[in-house]
Amino acid sequence: FIGSPSKQPLVGEYIAYIGELAGNKDGVMNLIKSFHMVSHEFPDLKLCIIGDTKDTISFNNLINYVTISNLANRIIFARRLHRDIVPTYLIHAKILALARPNTIRAQGGFPTKLGEYLATGKPVIVTKVGDIPKYLVDGLNAFIVEPDNIDKFAEKLRYILHHYEEAVNVGKEGQKMAATTFCS
């Protein structure tokens, strides 16, 4: 990221996700369910989900779960944002999350958004799919969880939040790795 946007876009601390809300490409429902599992321990923490909501069926499924789970005041759907605003949301997040499921699509490569997450220097939690384990090491430059395991994802979120100073150092290592590996 060039520069560092100073105006915090949301009040308070939040976990951020940016990407596709349609279908299950990035495991947004898994992320929401994991957040739900830890939300009672961190009553001021929010989850900010940024992405296109044109697929009304998928979006309504997310909204229904959020409503039934009494998380409507804790989960923010920022929808689709202008690309110049997105870095501000990422830079001010406490944690950046990607709960990709283990699918054929996920096995094919390294998500661009993950490079953007790492570039912020914030703690990043991601699932172990595709080429991700070729570049990232759990607890060294990111926090990595087996895919499709909501309990383990929640457990790792809890760990990061309870050991945030350590998590920040891991985020800084992720930023260094991104700068040397992806910015050549």
Side-chain angles (χ1 to χ4, degrees), residues 56-72:
T56 55
I57 294 171
S58 293
F59 184 62
N60 286 338
N61 286 338
L62 296 174
I63 293 294
N64 288 338
Y65 180 84
V66 167
T67 303
I68 290 166
S69 302
N70 294 315
L71 292 171

Side-chain angles (χ1 to χ4, degrees), residues 61-175:
N61 286 338
L62 296 174
I63 293 294
N64 288 338
Y65 180 84
V66 167
T67 303
I68 290 166
S69 302
N70 294 315
L71 292 171
N73 63 339
R74 303 284 303 278
I75 297 181
I76 299 156
F77 287 96
R79 303 204 177 194
R80 189 172 186 173
L81 299 174
H82 190 274
R83 66 178 181 199
D84 294 341
I85 298 170
V86 170
T88 303
Y89 278 79
L90 299 182
I91 287 169
H92 289 287
K94 188 170 182 94
I95 299 170
L96 299 167
L98 179 57
R100 272 191 145 181
N102 189 17
T103 62
I104 292 172
R105 184 176 187 176
Q107 291 303 321
F110 190 92
T112 305
K113 79 179 96 234
L114 184 51
E116 294 168 352
Y117 281 10
L118 294 165
T120 67
K122 294 292 183 160
V124 173
I125 179 172
V126 63
T127 48
K128 186 179 182 179
V129 294
D131 289 342
I132 292 169
K134 291 180 182 178
Y135 297 96
L136 301 178
V137 176
D138 183 41
L140 176 64
N141 50 20
F143 293 92
I144 302 174
V145 180
E146 291 300 319
D148 306 309
N149 191 328
I150 297 165
D151 293 329
K152 291 291 184 185
F153 204 91
E155 184 179 302
K156 192 68 82 164
L157 277 175
R158 186 177 291 111
Y159 180 87
I160 294 167
L161 292 162
H162 281 299
H163 301 91
Y164 196 69
E165 190 173 314
E166 173 192 337
V168 167
N169 290 330
V170 171
K172 289 177 184 174
E173 288 301 313
Q175 185 178 41

Side-chain angles (χ1 to χ4, degrees), residues 18-33:
I18 182 168
E20 192 171 318
L21 302 185
N24 195 31
K25 175 188 170 212
D26 284 343
V28 176
M29 185 63 85
N30 289 350
L31 174 58
I32 291 171
K33 288 178 178 180

